[in-house]
């Protein structure tokens, strides 16, 4: 165990999703236990997280160009440039962003998330998505919930078991947002993986909850929303208003989508 600058303990004896993700992205903010798990993942895992990150960039930029200037990003992860605020403030320098994550190591790097443009604002809250009311209460101190907000949950909800009620949590968060808001979501799937490529059991054996979901199950997160074209698709297939990303020989491992809150 180590402690961050606020004294919050960082458990270095068990891998954490944010740190494993950092390893797979080629980052340096992880521990040997995270690297060990990452090395058990097939090569397509690295390609998958890169595709997922690129989807976030495209979707956040799309939302900003649509006129949304407020973002609530839950499951932020360890900062990797460009971060969400850098993407959206390039479109609208006055954009305001609230970041949330439950790993204390992210707090260590929060300064990188809080370097806002002079016209805008960024804020960080250490919290778990299973505390939606706590997150909303804090977000209201930074964001104006009378105007549209983009709720970003990238590579997050597959770490919630069914008994955590991930759909109910999503409804609670979206229920607080006004018409014109949107949900930007990506979710791990085994739909395209062979038995050899499927390392779900290895991930779970490390102590991390992992619940892959099918396209139909991921689509449920968007119930009651107006899906933005092309709907719920794989990460490389979502490029609304932007050029299609270059396709490489790899297996898709994320379903993604964007949905608007109806009036």
């Amino acid at each position: 165990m180590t402690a961050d600058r606020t004294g919050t303990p960082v458990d270095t004896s068990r891998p954490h999703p944010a740190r494993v993700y950092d390893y797979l992205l080629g980052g340096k903010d992880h521990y040997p236990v995270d690297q060990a798990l990452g090395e058990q993942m097939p090569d397509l895992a690295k390609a998958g997280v890169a595709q997922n990150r690129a989807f976030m960039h495209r979707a956040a930029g799309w939302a900003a160009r649509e006129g949304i200037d407020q973002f609530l990003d839950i499951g932020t992860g360890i900062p990797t440039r460009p971060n969400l605020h850098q993407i959206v403030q390039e479109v609208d320098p006055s954009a305001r962003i609230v970041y949330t994550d439950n790993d204390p190591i992210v707090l260590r790097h929060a300064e990188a998330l809080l370097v806002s443009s002079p016209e805008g604002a960024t804020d960080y809250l250490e919290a778990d998505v299973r505390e939606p009311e706590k997150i909303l209460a804090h977000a209201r101190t930074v964001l104006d919930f009378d105007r549209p907000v983009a709720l970003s949950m990238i590579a997050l909800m597959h770490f919630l078991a069914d008994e955590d009620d991930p759909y109910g949590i999503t409804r609670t968060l979206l229920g607080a947002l006004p018409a014109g808001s949107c949900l930007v979501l990506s979710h791990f799937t085994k739909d395209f993986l062979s038995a050899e490529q499927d390392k779900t059991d290895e991930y779970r054996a490390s102590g991390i909850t992992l619940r892959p979901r099918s396209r139909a199950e991921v689509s449920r997160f968007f119930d009651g929303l107006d899906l933005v074209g092309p709907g719920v698709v794989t990460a490389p297939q979502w490029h609304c208003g932007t050029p299609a990303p270059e396709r490489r020989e790899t297996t898709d491992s994320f379903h993604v989508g964007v949905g608007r809150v109806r009036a």
Side-chain angles (χ1 to χ4, degrees):
M1 300 283 286
T2 64
D4 74 354
R5 58 185 172 81
T6 65
T8 304
V10 177
D11 188 349
T12 60
S13 67
R14 297 174 54 183
H16 187 281
R19 303 194 304 259
V20 176
Y21 192 86
D22 174 76
Y23 170 77
L24 293 173
L25 278 176
K28 299 179 179 179
D29 295 305
H30 51 264
Y31 295 100
V33 67
D34 308 300
Q35 180 175 344
L37 178 57
E39 288 176 347
Q40 294 182 54
M41 300 299 104
D43 289 341
L44 67 88
K46 292 183 179 180
V49 297
Q51 289 176 348
N52 177 68
R53 187 78 180 174
F55 160 71
M56 183 276 282
H57 293 165
R58 295 193 298 275
W62 171 86
R65 290 190 297 274
E66 285 290 300
I68 297 179
D69 62 358
Q70 303 186 106
F71 293 78
L72 175 54
D73 182 61
I74 306 177
T76 299
I78 295 167
T80 303
R81 294 176 64 90
N83 294 294
L84 187 147
H85 71 278
Q86 292 161 331
I87 296 291
V88 301
Q89 289 183 344
E90 185 174 330
V91 178
D92 183 351
S94 68
R96 304 175 72 84
I97 299 92
V98 173
Y99 289 110
T100 303
D101 203 282
N102 71 345
D103 185 0
I105 198 172
V106 179
L107 180 60
R108 287 182 173 179
H109 301 278
E111 289 85 354
L113 297 170
L114 300 179
V115 181
S116 172
S117 65
E119 303 93 330
T122 59
D123 191 73
Y124 179 79
L125 170 68
E126 186 178 349
D128 193 289
V129 69
R130 285 164 288 209
E131 307 170 289
E133 296 295 353
K134 174 182 176 179
I135 293 171
L136 290 170
H138 181 86
R140 286 189 177 96
T141 68
V142 180
L143 309 178
D144 178 1
F145 276 35
D146 290 328
R147 298 191 301 106
V149 175
L151 171 62
S152 174
M153 296 197 295
I154 300 296
L156 171 65
M157 301 308 273
H158 48 251
F159 296 118
L160 268 63
D162 292 340
E163 51 265 34
D164 290 321
D165 192 15
Y167 301 111
I169 289 171
T170 305
R171 295 277 80 77
T172 297
L173 292 165
L174 288 171
L177 306 183
S181 298
C182 70
L183 170 65
V184 178
L185 180 139
S186 68
H187 196 294
F188 175 64
T189 184
K190 298 198 300 182
D191 284 359
F192 311 104
L193 303 184
S194 68
E196 183 178 302
Q197 293 167 330
D198 180 10
K199 301 297 182 180
T200 304
D201 289 342
E202 286 85 343
Y203 220 87
R204 289 171 175 160
S206 74
I208 298 176
T209 298
L210 183 63
R211 171 61 165 90
R213 293 184 170 90
S214 67
R215 182 180 183 278
E217 290 175 310
V218 174
S219 296
R220 281 187 58 193
F221 286 103
F222 297 95
D223 284 354
L225 304 180
D226 291 326
L227 273 170
V228 174
V232 176
V233 293
T234 64
Q237 292 176 315
W238 201 99
H239 47 89
C240 184
T242 63
E246 180 183 351
R247 286 305 303 250
R248 294 183 171 88
E249 291 298 323
T250 186
T251 299
D252 294 313
S253 52
F254 283 87
H255 287 306
V256 308
V258 178
R260 298 295 293 258
V261 176
R262 296 170 182 166

